[in-house]
Amino acid sequence: MFGWLYKRIVRYYILIAAFFAGNNYFHKTIYQGKLKGFFFPGLNCYACPLARFSCPIGSLQNFIGVKTFPFYVLGFMGLLGITLGRFVCGWICPFGFFQELLYRIKTFKIRISQKYSYSKYIVLFVFVMILPFFTSQPWFCKLCPAGGIEAGIPQVILNPYLQSLIGRLFYVKMAIVTMLVSFSIFVKRPFCRFVCPLGAIYGIFNKFTFFKIKVDEKKCIECYACQTVCPMDVEIFKAPDSVDCIRCGECIKACPTDALSFKYSLTSAIKNPSQENRR
Amino acid sequence: MNKRILVCILGLIFFIGFFAFGIASQQRLDTEHRGSIICFPCIGIG
């Protein structure tokens, strides 16, 4: 049923299309049309003149900053999470795609344990919830490297007026961007795994989403081919509903015994329930 | 009923409610807030 989804080139085309759908590099002024009232499913700077849609994390900070319960943005993220889990991170988010491309550069690679991936929940609570609540400032946006790459660098190059406004914060942001770009060459999707607050929210839904990766324990030979190709370094045969699985399907394509497949249903992701005990 | 199915269905209803209430209370307009003023946190200014 989902055979066509397994092809990497299809995913890359969708990611490129999503990037151009979410951004308009031909606009010279801040886009304030009706589309700004809707969210882009991935990170997308909403102050950015290049953005057609709002960023869910930017809007979440805005609502927290003005002390309004964010029904709209939580409803949006919850609906996407329940229906697709972290699928958006693998198929829509241009910033994740950018990191994936950087990791394809041939050089030595560094593996970082998956246990540190819970650090993104600290980022979510501190920079998206607590600091914006007490200071009414979008602190994650101020430091977000996705905004730095997608908005900061092109806008400062294109707009001489903005060049006169840059200060210390811009240089801090560029330092974060440089660090992240460097890490992305050696580490699999470091921002998505250890920092991204949006991925942290979608990841919670991976346990409850309808869209899962099914593991057939009888076919699985535990060769770790799935983890080797996984852009998030997840041991998918052990934890198909891991908070870090982005449903990209690379593991399905790489599995030598066809033990993995996409599944859209409400039942357990593991075909043989005895595997539940191994986690 | 399977506990997982129950959580999924209740979650779906819950978030549809949130989304609908957000639209009804005009929160859709507030997402534009930052786009309407000269403040560029994404760029590192402001």
Side-chain angles (χ1 to χ4, degrees):
Chain A
M1 182 184 173
F2 294 114
W4 64 276
L5 278 179
Y6 304 160
K7 293 191 191 311
R8 180 184 293 156
I9 194 75
V10 173
R11 190 164 68 89
Y12 282 4
Y13 276 134
I14 292 172
L15 280 159
I16 293 166
F19 175 73
F20 284 106
N23 293 280
N24 187 352
Y25 278 96
F26 306 106
H27 257 276
K28 297 276 187 216
T29 54
I30 296 173
Y31 173 70
Q32 292 173 270
K34 288 188 174 175
L35 288 176
K36 269 276 167 70
F38 298 96
F39 300 113
F40 188 76
L43 288 177
N44 199 47
C45 286
Y46 68 177
C48 173
L50 313 175
R52 280 201 184 97
F53 300 94
S54 302
C55 172
I57 287 296
S59 296
L60 183 61
Q61 290 170 90
N62 181 44
F63 284 121
I64 290 173
V66 297
K67 315 286 187 291
T68 302
F69 191 84
F71 286 105
Y72 183 49
V73 64
L74 284 185
F76 175 82
M77 289 195 280
L79 282 175
L80 264 184
I82 289 269
T83 50
L84 295 171
R86 245 188 120 168
F87 173 87
V88 165
C89 304
W91 290 81
I92 308 280
C93 184
F95 195 56
F97 178 47
F98 177 64
Q99 291 169 80
E100 237 179 277
L101 291 181
L102 286 173
Y103 189 76
R104 292 177 76 84
I105 294 171
K106 297 254 184 271
T107 180
F108 70 93
K109 302 296 175 189
I110 301 167
R111 280 194 68 191
I112 299 178
S113 172
Q114 209 59 18
K115 67 184 176 189
Y116 299 115
S117 74
Y118 288 97
S119 57
K120 57 183 170 288
Y121 290 96
I122 298 171
V123 175
L124 174 66
F125 283 111
V126 175
F127 292 98
V128 178
M129 295 179 178
I130 296 171
L131 284 177
F133 182 81
F134 288 107
T135 64
S136 299
Q137 294 280 327
W139 276 98
F140 183 76
C141 292
K142 284 175 183 282
L143 304 172
C144 176
I149 289 176
E150 292 169 14
I153 294 172
Q155 277 299 298
V156 168
I157 291 171
L158 293 171
N159 193 333
Y161 170 67
L162 290 178
Q163 286 167 16
S164 64
L165 294 178
I166 60 173
R168 193 182 298 163
L169 181 61
F170 179 79
Y171 295 112
V172 170
K173 194 154 180 146
M174 287 305 108
I176 294 171
V177 168
T178 309
M179 202 165 64
L180 189 99
V181 168
S182 312
F183 270 134
S184 301
I185 297 169
F186 308 107
V187 181
K188 288 178 175 179
R189 282 196 179 219
F191 180 80
C192 309
R193 288 167 66 198
F194 307 114
V195 183
C196 184
L198 187 58
I201 294 171
Y202 287 144
I204 295 167
F205 293 101
N206 266 2
K207 295 207 184 295
F208 311 105
T209 179
F210 303 148
F211 190 49
K212 302 177 176 79
I213 286 184
K214 186 175 77 176
V215 182
D216 189 339
E217 194 193 25
K218 287 175 186 166
K219 288 183 180 174
C220 180
I221 54 172
E222 301 189 15
C223 63
Y224 288 86
C226 49
Q227 189 184 6
T228 307
V229 298
C230 177
M232 299 290 279
D233 211 28
V234 176
E235 288 180 312
I236 203 76
F237 65 96
K238 286 184 184 170
D241 52 4
S242 159
V243 293
D244 284 320
C245 176
I246 55 171
R247 306 290 192 257
C248 62
E250 295 290 331
C251 53
I252 296 170
K253 203 171 50 184
C255 182
T257 59
D258 293 328
L260 303 169
S261 58
F262 280 130
K263 180 185 179 188
Y264 203 87
S265 85
L266 289 169
T267 52
S268 173
I270 298 169
K271 196 169 181 181
N272 186 344
S274 67
Q275 193 163 355
E276 297 265 12
N277 302 327
R278 288 181 3 195
R279 283 181 287 161
Chain B
M1 189 186 278
N2 185 315
K3 197 174 157 189
R4 186 187 287 258
I5 298 173
L6 195 66
V7 170
C8 286
I9 292 171
L10 284 177
L12 200 60
I13 294 166
F14 185 73
F15 287 114
I16 288 172
F18 262 39
F19 192 66
F21 188 78
I23 290 175
S25 55
Q26 302 288 308
Q27 287 194 347
R28 200 163 62 78
L29 301 175
D30 281 343
T31 61
E32 296 175 33
H33 172 69
R34 293 288 169 188
S36 62
I37 57 171
I38 305 300
C39 165
F40 295 106
C42 55
I43 294 172
I45 298 166

